[in-house]
């Protein structure tokens, strides 16, 4: 059986650089072997985000003596008969004037098969005056029309200013993809350490700017505007997902837009382990609302592969009534390791909480809790037991209301709401109301049952389904 969420054998997926060509999605990605031998680009392609063809490494590390010992994030485009790949070159032992490892923009060309690339050793774009040399990465090359100049957006930092607020999306322009001239910054909000993996696209009458915040939050955000030069508006909820999902870049097929990122692994394969760079590829689909804001969910081609229904005692509609306590119902068998779960919750009046118990015991005590909190208009992922720092009651982390950084804003007025989620081994992706996504790693509980719960209120639970995925060739 193929994996739902792609990762190469023996390695991990770093930043994904997606490109649409000849009816296929070409998903270039940074191949993280975690062995210190240098970063190459690898490639998988797909037509449906279900069946992946692994092309292996297509842009190798330059080696010990090259400026691209690490070939980091960039972008791919086709102009005429030539494919262009712009990328970041980094060497941990090559230092810029600021005394830190230098980053530069490099270039490779190829044909329209997108498999074989020829590096262009004479091409190097270094940061212009006023920018730090250690932060000059993630070139995104595009143009707003066929007769317009090419633009290169670069994740950069000003040399002066408050240290944690110098992040800027720098901009250069070109008429031939060879010679690049500095231009005014594309976006300079003065509030981030860095704005990684910039991406710009148009959908209908709106332009969208995507970036990954490299500051306190470590998350992918978006802005929207009627013009590609702004002014950029902040949507009410500007995040794509939570802390575990990062560096999402986008690709479209004309009518649809997909966000391609990775769900981070954690040190020690433990829920409390520090987040690591790179993980498992995860594809989300954006849906444009009438006001231009974006809702997010899983591609239906992927969810449709979960076609084998598993019987559950929770399928029968039920009312959970707990005006001043907690009501719980638990299935009588363990969940499959790879599974899709859907459920519908409805409440006529505001309640404190309700949701799904995942990989729980027969009493609904241990495991994970995907919790809707209508009074706070948020969804969180919680777990029990929490971290213990000792044997005394106060040395159990009961003061932590949910798994740190696994919280999303989510409108939850009285009425009907849906939860859809996919779990595969240690990966969880949950979608609320086909609009709000929360992704996570779930290491500490590998088996357990499904449950539903409600706290301090009355909730009607219906349409609970459990499905598995037959073998996908």
């Amino acid at each position: 059986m193929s994996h739902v969420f792609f990762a190469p054998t023996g390695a991990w997926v770093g930043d994904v650089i997606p490109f649409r060509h000849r009816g296929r999605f070409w998903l270039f990605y940074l191949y993280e072997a975690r062995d210190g031998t240098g970063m190459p680009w690898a490639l998988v392609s797909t037509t449906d985000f279900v069946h992946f063809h692994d092309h292996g490494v297509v842009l190798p590390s330059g080696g010990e003596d090259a400026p691209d010992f690490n070939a980091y994030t960039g972008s791919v485009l086709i102009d005429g008969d030539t494919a262009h790949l712009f990328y970041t070159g980094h060497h941990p032992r090559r230092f810029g004037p600021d005394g830190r490892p230098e980053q530069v923009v490099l270039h490779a060309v190829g044909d329209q098969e997108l498999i074989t690339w020829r590096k262009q050793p004479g091409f190097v774009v270094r940061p212009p005056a006023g920018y730090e040399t250690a932060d000059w990465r993630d070139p995104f090359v595009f143009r707003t029309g066929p007769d317009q100049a090419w633009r290169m957006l670069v994740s950069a930092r000003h040399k002066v200013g408050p240290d944690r607020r110098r992040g800027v999306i720098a901009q250069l322009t070109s008429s031939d993809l060879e010679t690049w001239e500095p231009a005014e910054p594309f976006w300079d909000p003065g509030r981030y350490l860095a704005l990684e993996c910039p991406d710009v696209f148009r959908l209908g009458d709106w332009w969208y700017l995507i970036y990954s915040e490299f500051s306190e939050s470590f998350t992918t955000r978006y802005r929207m505007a009627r013009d590609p030069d702004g002014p950029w508006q902040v949507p009410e909820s500007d995040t794509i997902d939570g802390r575990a999902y990062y560096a999402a870049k986008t690709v479209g097929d004309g009518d649809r837009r997909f966000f391609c990122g990775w769900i981070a692994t954690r040190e020690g394969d433990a829920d409390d382990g520090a987040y690591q760079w790179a993980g498992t590829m995860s594809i989300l689909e954006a849906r444009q609302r009438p006001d231009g804001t974006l809702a997010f969910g899983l591609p239906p081609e992927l969810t449709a592969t979960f076609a084998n229904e598993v019987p559950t005692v929770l399928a029968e509609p039920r009312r959970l009534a707990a005006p001043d306590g907690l009501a719980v119902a638990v299935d009588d068998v363990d969940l499959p390791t790879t599974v899709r779960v859907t459920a519908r919750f409805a409440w006529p009046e505001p309640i404190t909480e309700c949701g799904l118990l995942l990989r729980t015991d027969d009493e609904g005590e241990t495991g994970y809790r995907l919790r809707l909190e209508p009074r706070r208009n948020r969804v969180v992922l919680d777990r029990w037991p929490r971290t213990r720092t000792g044997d005394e009651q106060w040395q159990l982390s009961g003061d932590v209301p949910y798994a740190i950084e696994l919280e999303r804003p989510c409108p939850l007025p009285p009425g009907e709401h849906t939860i859809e989620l996919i779990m595969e081994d240690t990966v969880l992706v949950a979608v609320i109301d086909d609009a709000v996504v929360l992704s996570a790693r779930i290491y500490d509980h590998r088996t357990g049952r499904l449950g539903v719960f409600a706290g301090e209120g009355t909730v009607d639970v219906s349409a609970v389904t459990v499905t598995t995925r037959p073998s996908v060739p």
Side-chain angles (χ1 to χ4, degrees), residues 88 100 103 105 126-140 152-160 162-172 183 185-198 211-212 214-215:
T88 306
R100 299 172 59 204
Q103 294 182 345
V105 173
R126 290 184 167 86
Y131 293 109
E132 293 182 357
T133 58
D135 287 274
W136 185 253
R137 60 184 177 273
D138 307 342
F140 177 73
M152 178 187 291
L153 308 187
V154 184
S155 174
R157 277 171 53 83
H158 293 298
K159 280 187 175 181
V160 298
D163 184 65
R164 296 194 63 81
R165 294 191 279 118
R166 293 184 202 166
V168 58
I169 299 178
Q171 181 174 215
L172 304 98
F186 186 78
W187 193 47
D188 192 0
R191 64 170 299 170
Y192 299 119
L193 183 72
L195 298 84
E196 296 192 304
C197 300
Y211 64 96
S212 288
F214 188 70
S215 294

Side-chain angles (χ1 to χ4, degrees), residues 30-238:
L30 306 191
Y31 182 92
E32 173 60 290
R34 295 180 179 163
D35 60 3
T37 58
M39 181 73 67
W41 281 32
L43 171 67
V44 293
S45 64
T46 181
T47 59
D48 55 11
F49 302 111
V50 174
H51 304 88
F52 292 93
H53 181 75
D54 191 347
H55 302 273
V57 170
V58 294
L59 186 77
S61 160
E64 286 288 345
D65 299 323
D68 60 347
F69 174 79
N70 291 313
Y72 284 151
T73 307
S75 56
V76 173
L77 61 95
I78 292 177
D79 184 38
D81 295 327
T82 303
H84 297 264
L85 188 158
F86 294 90
Y87 67 106
T88 306
H90 168 267
H91 196 299
R93 292 173 295 281
R94 288 191 174 209
F95 300 96
D98 53 11
R100 299 172 59 204
E102 183 182 46
Q103 294 182 345
V104 296
V105 173
L106 303 176
H107 186 204
V109 297
D111 58 29
Q112 296 198 30
E113 296 304 313
L114 304 181
I115 304 298
T116 302
W117 298 92
R118 302 182 302 279
K119 296 180 180 181
Q120 305 297 292
F123 181 100
V124 180
V125 176
R126 290 184 167 86
Y131 293 109
E132 293 182 357
T133 58
D135 287 274
W136 185 253
R137 60 184 177 273
D138 307 342
F140 177 73
V141 177
F142 77 110
R143 57 184 174 183
T144 57
D147 299 324
Q148 301 297 311
W150 292 99
R151 302 183 181 200
M152 178 187 291
L153 308 187
V154 184
S155 174
R157 277 171 53 83
H158 293 298
K159 280 187 175 181
V160 298
D163 184 65
R164 296 194 63 81
R165 294 191 279 118
R166 293 184 202 166
V168 58
I169 299 178
Q171 181 174 215
L172 304 98
T173 61
S174 174
S175 61
D176 59 5
L177 297 172
E178 292 291 336
T179 302
W180 292 90
E181 298 294 333
E184 288 297 312
F186 186 78
W187 193 47
D188 192 0
R191 64 170 299 170
Y192 299 119
L193 183 72
L195 298 84
E196 296 192 304
C197 300
D199 189 317
V200 173
F201 66 89
R202 185 177 185 177
L203 194 60
D205 294 330
W206 289 93
W207 288 86
Y208 296 88
L209 166 63
I210 314 300
Y211 64 96
S212 288
E213 177 191 341
F214 188 70
S215 294
E216 289 84 5
S217 296
F218 291 94
T219 191
T220 303
R221 300 182 183 274
Y222 79 97
R223 296 291 185 264
M224 48 195 289
R226 295 291 190 177
D227 186 277
D229 291 310
W232 296 101
Q233 302 177 24
V234 185
E236 183 176 354
S237 178
D238 69 340

Side-chain angles (χ1 to χ4, degrees), residues 18-27 49 140 199-203 249-260 283-286:
F19 184 62
R20 173 80 171 176
H21 180 54
R22 292 179 175 172
R24 296 186 70 82
F25 298 101
W26 301 81
L27 307 178
F49 302 111
F140 177 73
D199 189 317
V200 173
F201 66 89
R202 185 177 185 177
L203 194 60
K249 292 173 70 67
T250 79
V251 64
D253 65 359
D255 299 315
R256 304 166 69 187
R257 201 77 193 180
F258 301 93
F259 282 62
C260 310
I283 311 298
L284 303 176
E285 182 172 0

